């Protein structure tokens, strides 16, 4: 028995209502970002506790001289240098990814035309 157009439209409306009621699940990438953020915050807190517990004076050998510095400043300096290196090493990958996305978008635009 063939269904009428009214029945088909009503059924499609009910399907849309059901899909609108259920909350969409967040993408996995967002979960991964949240996990990375939590891990980073825990590591930062541990680093701060570690640095605060090691604040005595130490002698460091620089390239042309030596200096008496609180160990806390050595740790913070090393952390900043490490963060800068990580940022600079990640830049080419981000740039390549951005170029790849632009190329895919251009190809997709060419297909639609």
């Amino acid at each position: 028995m063939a269904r009428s157009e009214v029945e088909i439209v009503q059924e499609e409306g009910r399907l849309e209502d059901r899909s609108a009621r259920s909350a969409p699940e967040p993408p996995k990438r967002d979960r991964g970002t949240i996990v990375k953020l939590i891990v980073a915050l825990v590591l930062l807190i541990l680093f701060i506790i570690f640095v605060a517990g090691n604040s005595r004076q130490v002698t460091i050998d620089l390239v042309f001289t030596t200096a008496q510095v609180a160990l806390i400043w050595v740790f913070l300096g090393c952390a900043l240098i490490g963060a800068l290196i990580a940022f600079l090493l990640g830049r080419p990958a981000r740039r390549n990814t951005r170029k790849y996305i632009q190329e895919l978008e251009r190809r997709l635009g060419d297909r639609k035309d």
Side-chain angles (χ1 to χ4, degrees):
M1 181 169 168
R3 296 185 317 180
S4 69
E5 289 182 31
V6 174
E7 290 173 336
I8 294 172
V9 170
Q10 287 174 347
E11 185 176 323
E12 287 176 358
R14 278 181 264 155
L15 290 175
E16 288 175 9
D17 289 344
R18 278 189 231 144
S19 64
R21 279 186 232 139
S22 63
E25 189 174 318
K28 290 182 181 180
R29 192 169 89 184
D30 290 340
R31 288 183 191 156
T33 303
I34 291 170
V35 170
K36 288 178 186 178
L37 181 63
I38 291 170
V39 169
L41 287 174
V42 168
L43 290 175
L44 179 64
I45 290 168
L46 290 174
F47 179 74
I48 290 170
I49 292 169
F50 177 73
V51 168
N54 292 289
S55 58
R56 68 179 202 268
Q57 291 285 324
V58 294
T59 302
I60 58 169
D61 292 319
L62 302 169
V63 178
F64 298 108
T65 186
T66 60
Q68 281 285 96
V69 181
L71 193 55
I72 188 171
W73 296 114
V74 175
F75 287 143
L76 291 176
C78 289
L80 290 174
I81 290 170
L84 180 64
I85 290 170
F87 174 76
L88 292 175
L89 289 177
R91 282 186 74 190
R94 287 190 300 270
R95 184 177 35 232
N96 290 340
T97 302
R98 195 175 316 123
K99 285 181 182 178
Y100 181 68
I101 290 170
Q102 289 172 349
E103 175 66 20
L104 290 176
E105 288 174 343
R106 185 188 62 76
R107 287 182 186 177
L108 186 61
D110 291 347
R111 268 193 191 169
K112 288 183 179 179
D113 293 338

